[in-house]
Amino acid sequence: MRVRFGRDRTQARPPPTGRARERRGSVLNPHSAAGQVFLLQIVIVVLLVVAAVASVMLQAARDALQQGRRVSVVAAQSFANAPGTAEALRSRDPSAVLQPRAEAARKKAGVDFVVVTDTKGIRYTYPYPKEIGKKFVGDIKPALEGRTVIEQAGGPPVPAGKGTAVQAVVPVFDSHGTVVGLVSAGITVKNVSRLWMPQLPIIVGTGAAALALAATGTTLASRRLLRQTHGLAPVELARLYEHHEAVLHAVREGVLITTPDGRLLLANDEARRLLALPADAQGRPVRELGLPEKITRLLISPDAVTDEVHVAEDRLLAVNKRPTFPHGGPGGSVVTLRDTTELAAVSGRAEVARERLKLLYEAGLRIGTTLDVGRTAQELADVTVPQFADLVTVDLLDAVLRGWEPTAEGWRHLRRTAISGDRQVMPVYPVGEMITFSPGTPQMHALQEGRGMVEPDLRRAHGWREQDPERARKALELGLHSLVTMPLQARNVPLGVANFYRTTDSPAFEPDDLYFAEELAARAAVAIDNARRFTREHEMAVTLQRSLLPRGQPEQDALEVAWRYLPAATGVGGDWFDVIPLPGARVALAMGDVVGHGLHAAATMGRLRTAVHNFSTLDLPVDEVLGNLDDLVARMDNEEDAAEAADGHEGEAVTGATCLYAIYDPVTGACTMARAGHPEPVVVRPDGTVTCPGVPASAPLGLGGYPFETAELRLSEGSQLVLYTDGLVEERARDIDVGLDRLRRALGAAGRRSPEEACQAVIDAVGPARPADDIALLVARTRLFPRSCVAEWGVPPEPAVVPSVRTRCRDKLREWGLEDIGFTTELIISELVTNAIRHGSPPVTVRLLYGRCLICEVADGSSTSPRLRRAATTDEGGRGLFLVAQFAQRWGTRYTARGKVIWAEQTLHDVHDVTSAATDPTPVDVLLEQFGDPAM
């Protein structure tokens, strides 16, 4: 669209700026029409030049070929008919005579070669003597018949260069007319090109001149076109027209253009509708259009206007006005009109809605950040103050706080869980207090009906005031005046209520506020219910976990033990530990970790702990215990996979379980241990030195087929052996090496403390505040059996020495002050030694250990295990182990590298009971009579 005002149309327009200037500087741009025309001209000129060069080349080649033919024929015939040529061919050495003549003729005739051959084609001459005597390259048959041959053929190199040659072959006749030889002369095709090369500059120069003229013409035409279109490309001109049509008919904002003398130059459809302009308004003075006076003055005035609101009939119009040419020019103004009638009515509500949406979005981010019921309730209270309410309280059923399923019986008894707002001013129930709501309160109505209740004026809310009249009176005096109470329910199960209060400075709640409170409470209820269910599952898992862990320390003499177990903040895992007394006053220590959290990990931990107890009962070496655990975990994985595959869904495997198993012998101070993927233990020496014993790392349990390496070390009395799980030293934000270093420093500082104090010091220094994984820690301080409480001697493999063994046993018991159990001990030792001599193999040794209990051990070199059985009345033997089982508290067999050990334990606190039973004449006599062994 071209706009013309009341000035001379020849008046200079302001120069185009920006993009137009750039295009004037690049009129031959290949993306412009002029540039594309120029490129087409270049292609045409180049094609013409190429065609001209090709034509000249072909013509020159043709002319050169013809000239070469003539020159070759003349040169060859002249040399063939020269005097003496025929005689030289018949001479004894034709080459010696003809070679100088041929070279002289070649140079004089201007050809590239003159070759003389015999009738068989053997060369007598050639520019290069080394080629003489070789076969001539060409057709000589016509020449032998007396004809002249002109042909193109290749051959050996010549002084002019190697290439295809135009050559003539003529015969040499003797005086009798007989062909005695052949002469060939010619020039190479390469040399023919010099005939057309002088014409090439003329052709190229003509093409360059044509390109220069084309570029000049295109540039001039392009610049003139750019001046006429103000630097706009055709696409931009089309887009400008489309914009013009859109402004006139499609834009939902009024647009007016006026001239400097106050005429209406342009008005789009929306402006005509908003101002009710007549059909012929365009081109008429603004004063004649019958517009309101204020709008008329605004349109005529040259001043700029920004967002002025004017009334036009029943509309509120926001008006903006700017000059048509802001940088100078013919003048005129552009006026835009926007109808704000409806906007003014809804702007207030839109602002409120925007704030509510923003608050809901913020609530979605802030509510439910943890799985703690109380924390989630407090987040609900905090997020709504002061944007929605001035004071918020959240009351939950006591069952919800405990993680139980809520019931209708507990609705009247709710516990104040969270408060947000001015707690000091308002007399509300404090956090943690149990509240019993009366039936007429809004809270009870909300719980029973399952919907929110609004009390715009609390002075008229009789049910609310009857709950606690004195507290309600003080609250009203302090300005509390409006309430919205909303039930918190998830899965149609009420969890509690949220109470939103407003004070004097805020407007009263309206019914529309219920919808927002309902949306807010629904989101919070889901988060609270998730936290409640997590609390229930967490408590169940913790209860299961703690029920599966040791509840007290077993009686044993080898170690002073203390432990700590801290469940993860987000769920119970599969960490476990155990202290298992073994025969021979030894103690087994176990520490394990099942990857994962929840009931499945806890149940798996229980199975593994039970398995370790069973394997320990068999008194297996540490590597065999881990090997059996490895097989067990693999079978558990296979069972899970098979069961879940049958159900059609993926199961929970146990892969990732780790374990450390150690056996400590207080008699020798030896500690044998092995670990399957578990962190290495730490040893604290009595002097406070902290070291790692270097236990070889083996693969975790469940992988199968991998051996478990053991390590044996000697621990002096008072050393502390520290076992732990990775949750103690490893965190997401902390490298495991940092945790291990902190653990060593904490243990070094606690070297002289008791195991209980050392455990607490390590937890305080290393343990995280909210552990992401379970933490199990066990500290065991070693003890050594005093040498005075150990008696050991060898026994010759003769049955006759059994009485002497009993005598030595009796003397040792008298030395320890254990005469009361002397009879039973002698009986046990006698039976075990007799069995070892009869059924075992040497060497046989006896050892007595005096501690919490009296341990009798008989070792021999045989690996055959005795078996307890009931002998018949007619049997002469077979009652020895029966006697041992009757008089000992426990007995059993353990295997060693050199054989086996039969052991029996007698508790010392039941000495009198055991002695009275042993000295009862009737049963003892019966047993001795049945035994009937002369060695006794």
Side-chain angles (χ1 to χ4, degrees):
M1 178 186 68
R2 185 172 181 178
V3 180
R4 180 169 57 85
F5 297 93
R7 295 187 180 181
D8 186 4
R9 69 176 62 184
T10 61
Q11 182 178 356
R13 296 182 181 272
T17 59
R19 193 169 180 182
R21 290 181 180 175
E22 295 177 2
R23 295 195 175 188
R24 281 204 178 100
S26 57
V27 293
L28 301 182
N29 190 329
H31 297 289
S32 64
Q36 294 172 0
V37 171
F38 180 62
L39 290 177
L40 180 60
Q41 291 175 345
I42 291 176
V43 172
I44 294 174
V45 170
V46 170
L47 290 177
L48 291 176
V49 169
V50 171
V53 171
S55 177
V56 170
M57 289 176 58
L58 292 175
Q59 185 63 37
R62 187 180 299 108
D63 294 343
L65 186 60
Q66 294 297 331
Q67 183 179 358
R69 289 171 178 267
R70 290 194 299 271
V71 171
S72 299
V73 171
V74 171
Q77 289 181 349
S78 298
F79 192 84
N81 296 323
T85 300
E87 290 77 6
L89 287 170
R90 294 183 180 274
S91 64
R92 178 172 298 179
D93 188 2
S95 294
V97 178
L98 295 176
Q99 176 67 14
R101 296 181 183 179
E103 284 302 300
R106 177 180 69 81
K107 295 176 181 179
K108 186 175 182 179
V111 294
D112 292 333
F113 60 87
V114 174
V115 179
V116 181
T117 68
D118 61 5
T119 55
K120 295 181 180 179
I122 302 302
R123 299 191 190 106
Y124 289 146
T125 66
Y126 201 80
Y128 296 123
K130 65 180 181 179
E131 298 296 331
I132 296 175
K134 297 181 180 179
K135 186 72 173 179
F136 174 74
V137 179
D139 187 10
I140 63 174
K141 185 176 180 180
L144 294 175
E145 296 175 356
R147 293 179 293 169
T148 298
V149 179
I150 301 173
E151 62 180 354
Q152 292 181 344
V158 295
K162 185 176 180 180
T164 303
V166 177
Q167 61 184 15
V169 182
V170 299
V172 179
F173 298 96
D174 57 3
S175 58
H176 301 287
T178 303
V179 176
V180 295
L182 304 174
V183 177
S184 175
I187 60 176
T188 61
V189 176
K190 178 180 179 181
N191 289 337
V192 175
S193 62
R194 66 175 178 267
L195 300 176
W196 59 270
M197 287 296 292
Q199 302 180 33
L200 184 60
I202 300 175
I203 298 174
V204 175
T206 303
L211 289 177
L213 290 176
T216 303
T218 303
T219 302
L220 294 176
S222 176
R223 289 184 175 179
R224 182 168 183 177
L225 188 62
L226 289 174
R227 285 196 300 270
Q228 292 180 351
T229 60
H230 299 286
L232 297 177
V235 175
E236 292 176 321
L237 290 174
R239 187 180 299 118
L240 185 62
Y241 177 76
E242 294 172 356
H243 293 173
H244 173 74
E245 289 296 311
V247 170
L248 286 180
H249 306 296
V251 172
R252 304 314 299 169
E253 188 172 285
V255 178
L256 301 171
I257 300 179
T258 60
T259 62
D261 58 357
R263 290 182 176 272
L264 182 61
L265 185 63
L266 177 69
N268 69 348
D269 295 348
E270 185 66 10
R272 293 176 183 273
R273 185 184 69 84
L274 294 176
L275 298 177
L277 295 176
D280 59 345
Q282 197 161 299
R284 294 172 56 184
V286 174
R287 293 186 178 275
E288 299 178 0
L289 300 179
L291 300 175
E293 183 62 25
K294 291 184 178 180
I295 295 181
T296 300
R297 288 201 305 269
L298 184 146
L299 295 177
I300 296 175
S301 172
D303 299 332
V305 173
T306 301
D307 289 336
E308 284 191 6
V309 179
H310 293 270
V311 179
E313 295 183 355
D314 58 346
R315 302 179 185 277
L316 292 176
L317 303 181
V319 182
N320 289 273
K321 182 180 180 182
R322 294 291 185 274
T324 309
F325 297 97
H327 302 291
S333 302
V334 176
V335 181
T336 60
L337 310 172
R338 185 173 68 255
D339 189 357
T340 62
T341 306
E342 297 180 358
L343 180 63
V346 301
S347 59
R349 289 180 295 182
E351 181 65 20
V352 173
R354 186 182 67 84
E355 293 296 331
R356 295 285 173 85
L357 288 175
K358 181 180 178 182
L359 183 57
L360 284 177
Y361 174 75
E362 185 178 357
L365 295 178
R366 293 176 55 183
I367 298 177
T369 57
T370 65
L371 290 173
D372 182 80
V373 175
R375 178 61 182 168
T376 305
Q378 188 62 49
E379 290 170 347
L380 168 63
D382 293 340
V383 79
T384 52
V385 175
Q387 290 90 339
F388 180 67
D390 300 315
L391 177 66
V392 178
T393 63
V394 179
D395 306 323
L396 297 178
L397 300 176
D398 202 47
V400 174
L401 294 173
R402 298 174 182 270
W404 304 342
E405 285 289 340
T407 59
E409 290 77 7
W411 285 2
R412 291 190 59 187
H413 306 287
L414 285 84
R415 189 175 297 277
R416 180 59 48 87
T417 308
I419 301 177
S420 183
D422 197 347
R423 312 183 188 188
Q424 298 178 354
V425 175
M426 292 300 169
V428 295
Y429 294 104
V431 173
E433 184 171 343
M434 181 68 72
I435 306 172
T436 302
F437 287 103
S438 59
T441 58
Q443 288 83 357
M444 284 302 299
H445 284 298
L447 284 173
Q448 292 172 353
E449 299 177 12
R451 60 184 180 87
M453 304 291 293
V454 60
E455 294 288 352
D457 189 356
L458 288 177
R459 296 183 182 276
R460 300 179 182 180
H462 301 292
W464 177 78
R465 296 176 63 183
E466 291 174 358
Q467 171 67 29
D468 193 335
E470 182 62 24
R471 197 185 299 268
R473 182 185 62 79
K474 292 181 180 179
L476 292 174
E477 290 177 356
L478 293 173
L480 209 66
H481 68 89
S482 188
L483 165 68
V484 167
T485 181
M486 185 63 60
L488 300 172
Q489 54 186 6
R491 299 176 288 111
N492 295 325
V493 177
L495 308 174
V497 292
N499 305 299
F500 305 94
Y501 294 95
R502 284 184 179 175
T503 58
T504 306
D505 298 334
S506 302
F509 284 113
E510 299 178 356
D512 289 345
D513 293 322
L514 282 175
Y515 299 110
F516 174 75
E518 182 179 1
E519 180 67 24
L520 198 63
R523 298 190 180 193
V526 172
I528 291 174
D529 188 57
N530 289 339
R532 178 194 65 80
R533 299 174 69 180
F534 170 78
T535 301
R536 181 187 61 185
E537 294 179 2
H538 184 72
E539 291 296 331
M540 292 174 58
V542 168
T543 302
L544 175 62
Q545 178 88 339
R546 294 193 182 279
S547 67
L548 296 175
L549 291 175
R551 298 188 179 184
Q553 295 194 15
E555 294 184 357
Q556 44 86 24
D557 298 319
L559 299 169
E560 181 184 354
V561 181
W563 59 68
R564 291 290 187 276
Y565 171 73
L566 300 179
T570 57
V572 176
D575 292 13
W576 58 279
F577 58 91
D578 216 335
V579 180
I580 308 170
L582 297 179
R586 297 169 304 140
V587 175
L589 300 177
M591 178 73 70
D593 184 4
V594 177
V595 174
H597 294 85
L599 295 176
H600 183 269
T604 303
M605 177 272 294
R607 296 176 67 180
L608 293 182
R609 181 169 178 257
T610 303
V612 170
H613 266 277
N614 295 334
F615 297 144
S616 300
T617 303
L618 299 176
D619 209 351
L620 300 176
V622 292
D623 56 338
E624 293 187 20
V625 171
L626 292 184
N628 290 327
L629 279 180
D630 185 52
D631 295 339
L632 175 62
V633 172
R635 288 197 303 271
M636 291 166 64
D637 283 343
N638 294 334
E639 292 172 1
E640 291 284 352
D641 293 341
E644 300 300 339
D647 295 339
H649 56 86
E650 186 178 356
E652 296 184 71
V654 194
T655 303
T658 67
C659 182
L660 186 147
Y661 187 72
I663 296 178
Y664 174 69
D665 188 347
V667 177
T668 62
C671 182
T672 306
M673 61 184 69
R675 61 189 180 109
H678 202 80
E680 187 174 12
V682 178
V683 175
V684 183
R685 301 292 179 181
D687 59 357
T689 304
V690 180
T691 60
C692 292
V695 181
S698 301
L701 300 176
L703 299 184
Y706 294 94
F708 297 95
E709 299 183 50
T710 61
E712 183 174 341
L713 60 152
R714 299 286 175 175
L715 299 178
S716 56
E717 187 170 11
S719 300
Q720 289 185 352
L721 181 62
V722 181
L723 310 182
Y724 56 91
T725 56
D726 56 359
L728 178 66
V729 296
E730 187 175 7
E731 287 186 274
R732 292 182 179 178
R734 183 181 69 187
D735 189 75
I736 189 171
D737 293 334
V738 177
L740 289 173
D741 185 62
R742 292 174 59 181
L743 173 63
R744 295 188 189 98
R745 290 201 302 269
L747 290 173
R752 296 186 177 273
R753 300 178 184 176
S754 66
E756 188 68 29
E757 294 172 341
C759 273
Q760 191 59 46
V762 169
I763 292 298
D764 295 340
V766 185
R770 288 180 58 84
D773 193 8
D774 286 15
I775 295 176
L777 173 66
L778 188 147
V779 178
R781 175 180 288 174
T782 60
R783 298 170 179 162
L784 288 178
F785 249 73
R787 299 309 303 172
S788 60
C789 295
V790 179
E792 184 175 5
W793 60 87
V795 177
E798 295 293 336
V801 303
V802 175
S804 63
V805 172
R806 288 202 304 268
T807 301
R808 295 189 65 174
C809 176
R810 186 184 310 114
D811 296 339
K812 180 57 67 174
L813 293 179
R814 185 181 301 111
E815 179 184 340
W816 289 339
L818 301 178
E819 296 89 346
D820 294 339
I821 60 172
F823 176 78
T824 57
T825 305
E826 291 179 38
L827 179 62
I828 292 172
I829 288 293
S830 177
E831 293 298 333
L832 295 181
V833 170
T834 301
N835 282 340
I837 294 174
R838 286 184 174 182
H839 306 291
S841 58
V844 179
T845 59
V846 176
R847 188 172 71 167
L848 299 178
L849 301 177
Y850 174 34
R852 294 176 182 268
C853 59
L854 181 64
I855 303 174
C856 304
E857 296 181 345
V858 176
D860 67 83
S862 172
S863 60
T864 303
S865 175
R867 182 169 59 89
L868 177 65
R869 67 184 183 88
R870 182 175 296 274
T873 56
T874 58
D875 290 342
E876 295 182 359
R879 298 173 181 83
L881 289 181
F882 179 76
L883 291 174
V884 173
Q886 291 296 316
F887 288 104
Q889 185 71 21
R890 295 193 308 154
W891 76 280
T893 304
R894 77 171 186 269
Y895 296 93
T896 65
R898 296 181 298 274
K900 68 176 182 296
V901 176
I902 311 297
W903 56 269
E905 291 183 2
Q906 300 177 78
T907 56
L908 300 181
H909 59 275
D910 292 333
V911 167
H912 297 290
D913 296 338
V914 174
T915 304
S916 62
T919 56
D920 189 356
T922 302
V924 172
D925 293 340
V926 172
L927 290 173
L928 290 178
E929 289 176 359
Q930 290 184 355
F931 189 53
D933 190 345
M936 294 293 292

